[in-house]
Amino acid sequence: MALVCAGAAGIAEAQSVSTYGTPGLLEIPTAEMFEDGTLAFTAAGFRDTARGTMTFQMLPWALGSFSYAYIKGFDGAVGDRYDRSFDFHFRLREESKHSPSIVMGLRDFGGTGIYAAEYFVATKTFRDRFKLTGGIGWGRMAGRGAFSNPLGVFGERFDTRPSSNDGETGQLDFGNWFRGDAALFGGVSWQHNDRLTFLAEYSPDLYTAEGDNIGFDIHSPINFGVQYRFKNGTQLTTSYLYGTTLGLTFSYFIDPRKAVTPGGQGAAPPPLRPRSQVAAATADRTQGDIRDRLQRALDQEGLRLVYLSDSGNTVQVGVENNRYGLAAQVLGRTARVLVNEEPPQTEQFDIALMSRGVPLSAVRVNRDDLYELEHDPDNAWRSFARAEVSDTIPLVDGGILTDAFPHFSYRFGPYLNFSFFDPDDPLRYELGAALGLDYTLSPGFTLSTGLRLPILSTLDDSTRVSDSPLPHVRSDWAIYARESNLRIEHLTAEYLWRPGTNLYARTTLGYLETMFGGLSTELLWYPTDSRLALGVEANYVAQRDFDVLFGFQNYTVATGHASAYYDLPGEYHAQVDVGRYLAGDYGATFALDREFTNGFKVGAFFTLTNVSSEEFGEGSFDKGIRLEIPVSWLTGRPSRNKLAQTIRPVLRDGGARLSVRNRLYGVTREARAQNLSRGWGRFWR
């Protein structure tokens, strides 16, 4: 994440951001939204309080945020406090010429309740520069000037507000939303120019939740601030809060659609040679010559030729992608090479996307279409409409090239791991060197290992001892960090194959991940043109020794899931996994991701099992936020590598799932019609 914040291009125009990291003035919210898809990172600090927030505009009318706060001297005897919270902000009405925008919001709806509040707020813009905001709030926002709840007309239960979670996190306090006293809040902003904005607000917050030692006095409900917006959209706000203290808020915005380095930095695709030149060049070539030239040309494009067959006027090829983030770009580059190297009598190209010699899907491209559409301004959608996507090409005897297997590949480079929200040290890290080796003996059958050597680490400094009553399948992570040095992250024999049309299968044996090893099997049904995929996985595993080398502990478990995957309209993807987890508990994991065309992904998940919140412990149930950032988004150069980070409020044993490499849905999805259509704009690049 630090790499993103350091290098990503900001958004030129963004709304003002409050100390809570959501659209607002200084402390109060406004009824505004960020641009759809925006990621906002906010750091805010004032006397004895610091907040860090990540906010994602997941829909044009809804955003969510995760915050982590440090409160010094919380409630006297309790001492310093680290607090986690989730917020939601829903637009009920969009601003029009004569009426304001209206938003309903929930603050800290699943945390300890320190910041718990609900509100309705309206904002109206006058002459583009002056904005007026007013609203009503409950919970923490019902401090100064509080009055009886107007919702009491709907029943007496709205008159009083129960306590929030008793300091426990992870539980949704439906029972106290919009209950108890209410108070009004409001404010104004005036944009002096494109860089400078002046802010003033009335905040009813009395900071009573922090106790008597908040570090400053509340003398006035009026807050003032000045905001400066840099050219890249970054905002810096200085404020004078509650008549006694100074504050500082910094916000950085990322638009996932806009890469840090716009425009491709890689080599341009080969131009299509005229038919006459192709005819002259290929007139005397043998099949062996054509194959050798194809291999060399594809290798220059970062593609590996695995399969080649010629039948009449159609040539069938299978390629493996070593370079590009989008499969459509693989197809486009391959098609250009085929046009330039195959004789003119070859009219059709069947191009199979393959993984370790296993075909995923095939696309038929006509030679005439390539010539006709190369310079057409609408060539992206027109070429996709003419292409034919099918399950695979028939693998006839002799199609797999004799020199394609066995095949060896390796990866070497640094790695960086983070651990978040340990109360003793909220951010821990590990930096080291990683080596990966893959040896594919025959199509689908691969021996693989991954080694890691930590160099700099604070993970092994943790002295926390798990108090989980469940089997310690994840909560002993600190012991693994302390007792391991050179680690065998995985050491597996894996076999992928196609048992039938629209079916994919995987069997993996060995040390599957850092903490478990054993046998994993999987079957996936995924029609080429379907939004829906269904899978089932079964595993029998044993817990590995803490040194992450060759030994096992005594704990064994059978685990597995039935999974449903669905591509929702737009950029959204849903997944549900139902089954048995590593601690022997049963339940389901629900995930929703927004995946942009360039592969940038932001998502959230939660898991509910038959483990009670008391047994689970801190956090009540497993949940988190995940980011995937393509390296090409940062560098502008084609790459299949991604930076992935999962942000969990706490890692416990309930709802813990086995981590297996090359799960079939991830392997096959890029080659399905839905994904190809979204990325087809790269076909010609």
Side-chain angles (χ1 to χ4, degrees), residues 46 194 284 328 407 474:
F46 46 94
D194 291 342
D284 298 325
H407 177 69
R474 294 299 187 206

Side-chain angles (χ1 to χ4, degrees), residues 275 287 290 308-317 338-339 341-351 363-370 388:
R275 292 176 187 267
Q287 288 297 319
I290 292 174
L308 178 62
S309 177
D310 193 344
S311 57
N313 65 349
T314 301
V315 65
Q316 300 170 329
V317 299
L338 290 170
V339 166
E341 302 297 340
E342 284 289 328
Q345 59 265 30
T346 304
E347 299 174 0
Q348 295 177 327
F349 308 124
D350 285 344
I351 306 170
V363 177
R364 172 166 290 184
V365 179
N366 292 316
R367 188 179 212 132
D368 289 343
D369 292 338
L370 293 170
E388 301 176 32

Side-chain angles (χ1 to χ4, degrees), residues 541-596:
V541 294
Q543 192 163 19
R544 297 180 64 182
D545 281 345
F546 293 126
D547 61 8
V548 198
L549 292 175
F550 295 103
F552 287 98
Q553 302 182 46
N554 293 327
Y555 182 73
T556 60
V557 62
T559 176
H561 288 78
S563 302
Y565 314 85
Y566 194 77
D567 273 317
L568 296 165
E571 300 170 320
Y572 303 94
H573 178 263
Q575 178 177 340
V576 179
D577 304 288
V578 180
R580 192 178 194 227
Y581 294 83
L582 287 171
D585 47 332
Y586 292 87
T589 299
F590 304 87
L592 181 65
D593 296 285
R594 185 167 184 180
E595 186 173 9
F596 299 88

Side-chain angles (χ1 to χ4, degrees), residues 420 474-475 477 515 616 618 622 648-653 656:
F420 299 97
R474 294 299 187 206
S475 59
W477 60 268
M515 299 184 186
F616 185 92
E618 182 184 5
D622 188 43
R648 276 185 168 93
V650 67
L651 181 64
R652 301 286 286 181
D653 298 311

